[in-house]
Amino acid sequence: GAVVSQHPSWVICKSGTSVKIECRSLDFQATTMFWYRQFPKQSLMLMATSNEGSKATYEQGVEKDKFLINHASLTLSTLTVTSAHPEDSSFYICSATGGSGGTEAFFGQGTRLTVV
Amino acid sequence: GQNIDQPTEMTATEGAIVQINCTYQTSGFNGLFWYQQHAGEAPTFLSYNVLDGLEEKGRFSSFLSRSKGYSYLLLKELQMKDSASYLCAVSMNRDDKIIFGKGTRLHILP
């Protein structure tokens, strides 16, 4: 199956700093990438949808100025958590569509963010 | 609004069969996914149903009824490693957006 690589797998940062998470499709062109957040023992909550070369579409309640998404190419999307606070600590997962599986979404490994 | 319902937790015995149900009401529907997720890991793909009916894939089968907004995941010959969360997710027309249910935590007893 198609491979999506997400980096870093975990990060600890100080409150007030910014963190960038990368999501790369390694063997296919990802026309659409999704960013999810998952709190402990809860399901994945969609944060935003990004298409290459256009602005991301954010879900209701997600601050677009705080969670900056850039989808500069068909193989790379980045999520930057700006001015992170402890309540932003969560598991962030990207997924991408556009591989040979049709509309199947392929997930990155996830990033565990801890803000101290 | 979008609504995807599935039971929060289920318990079954090793070697048995378990059925996890999912009902949905969404504005737009392309198809329905089932994913398995072990704690601390990303979800892994199990199945994708577009048309009504049952699709079998080894020990796992998935059923869809579009008219009823209903799906189930059937797991046979349960193994301890099947202990995980099972996520029902709907692919919607707009942007192929995928919305997840809250997940069902399945506990397997020896």
Side-chain angles (χ1 to χ4, degrees):
Chain A
V3 177
V4 174
S5 176
Q6 185 174 341
H7 177 81
S9 57
W10 63 269
V11 59
I12 301 173
C13 71
K14 290 185 177 181
S15 186
T17 61
S18 295
V19 173
K20 180 185 283 188
I21 303 169
E22 291 188 351
C23 182
R24 293 180 184 273
S25 57
L26 297 186
D27 51 2
F28 69 100
Q29 293 186 327
T31 52
T32 306
M33 286 190 173
F34 304 93
W35 287 95
Y36 294 88
R37 179 169 52 185
Q38 185 176 35
F39 292 106
K41 298 187 178 180
Q42 295 186 25
S43 189
L44 284 74
M45 297 300 298
L46 181 64
M47 299 175 67
T49 303
S50 73
N51 294 292
E52 184 262 340
S54 61
K55 289 185 178 179
T57 303
Y58 289 80
E59 294 299 301
Q60 193 173 7
V62 178
E63 299 174 59
K64 62 180 180 181
D65 295 329
K66 181 171 181 60
F67 299 99
L68 301 179
I69 292 173
N70 185 288
H71 194 157
S73 74
L74 284 171
T75 59
L76 174 64
S77 176
T78 60
L79 167 68
T80 301
V81 183
T82 62
S83 187
H85 291 284
E87 56 265 31
D88 298 325
S89 298
S90 186
F91 192 51
Y92 292 86
I93 306 177
C94 70
S95 72
T97 59
S100 60
T103 56
E104 178 185 339
F106 301 93
F107 284 86
Q109 304 94 319
T111 298
R112 174 76 57 193
L113 170 64
T114 302
V115 184
V116 297
Chain B
Q2 327 301 341
N3 195 39
I4 302 174
D5 284 320
Q6 51 183 130
T8 304
E9 286 191 84
M10 297 183 71
T11 301
T13 305
E14 191 177 14
I17 299 173
V18 70
Q19 177 174 312
I20 302 173
N21 296 324
C22 172
T23 58
Y24 62 91
Q25 300 97 38
T26 57
S27 54
F29 180 86
N30 284 338
L32 187 142
F33 293 92
W34 282 97
Y35 284 88
Q36 180 192 62
Q37 186 180 28
H38 287 99
E41 298 180 11
T44 54
F45 173 80
L46 292 178
S47 65
Y48 180 56
N49 291 67
V50 176
L51 303 176
D52 286 357
L54 182 69
E55 292 197 9
E56 299 184 64
K57 195 184 294 184
R59 294 190 299 115
F60 294 1
S61 302
S62 57
F63 172 84
L64 175 67
S65 169
R66 295 176 69 126
S67 61
K68 294 182 180 179
Y70 168 68
S71 173
Y72 68 73
L73 179 69
L74 190 71
L75 294 79
K76 303 177 185 176
E77 302 169 17
L78 286 170
Q79 302 175 9
M80 297 304 293
K81 67 178 182 179
D82 297 331
S83 292
S85 285
Y86 291 86
L87 307 173
C88 170
V90 171
S91 171
M92 298 168 56
N93 298 112
R94 187 163 52 93
D95 293 331
D96 285 329
K97 186 160 65 173
I98 300 174
I99 302 297
F100 283 81
K102 288 183 167 51
T104 299
R105 281 196 298 281
L106 177 63
H107 305 280
I108 308 296
L109 302 176

